[in-house]
Amino acid sequence: MELALAADELRTVVNRLRRAQGQIAGVIRMIEEGRDCEEVVTQLAAASRALDRAGFAVIATGLQRCLTEEEGDGDSSDGGTVDRERMRARLEKLFLSLA
């Protein structure tokens, strides 16, 4: 499956990843400074959520493209069913990897 996102979608995902990158750098700095454990965990959780949101945005875009392409195909042969099942299995695996 190829990562082909529109410019707006790509910008949003990259911004989320940069935010997570900054949060992770902050967590490292907090640990090195011996900051309070609760503060460190709070920031780590925020970074984790930012990564999750970026991953889900990529997958949601992929799903949208798959559905759009499927509607455009109009192919109801068995080969189309096999391809859809394979794609469904791959997307399911991606979702589970983020869970």
Side-chain angles (χ1 to χ4, degrees):
M1 190 174 352
E2 189 176 308
L3 179 62
L5 300 175
D8 290 344
E9 296 160 338
L10 183 61
R11 193 173 316 116
T12 301
V13 170
V14 169
N15 285 341
R16 285 183 178 159
L17 291 172
R18 285 195 175 123
R19 186 176 310 123
Q21 183 179 32
Q23 289 168 324
I24 291 169
V27 168
I28 292 168
R29 197 169 34 257
M30 291 170 76
I31 290 170
E32 291 173 343
E33 294 170 355
R35 299 276 295 272
D36 180 65
C37 180
E38 188 175 341
E39 292 176 21
V40 172
V41 171
T42 299
Q43 285 303 310
L44 196 54
S48 178
R49 283 191 304 275
L51 289 172
D52 287 345
R53 289 181 60 110
F56 284 126
V58 169
I59 291 173
T61 300
L63 276 173
Q64 182 179 11
R65 290 186 184 276
C66 288
L67 291 173
T68 302
E69 289 172 7
E70 183 178 310
E71 289 172 0
D73 287 346
D75 185 274
S76 61
S77 68
D78 287 343
T81 302
V82 171
D83 288 341
R84 281 193 301 275
E85 283 300 312
R86 192 174 302 136
M87 179 60 72
R88 186 204 57 78
R90 290 173 70 190
L91 289 170
E92 182 178 333
K93 183 178 177 182
L94 285 172
F95 269 117
L96 290 173
S97 73
L98 291 172

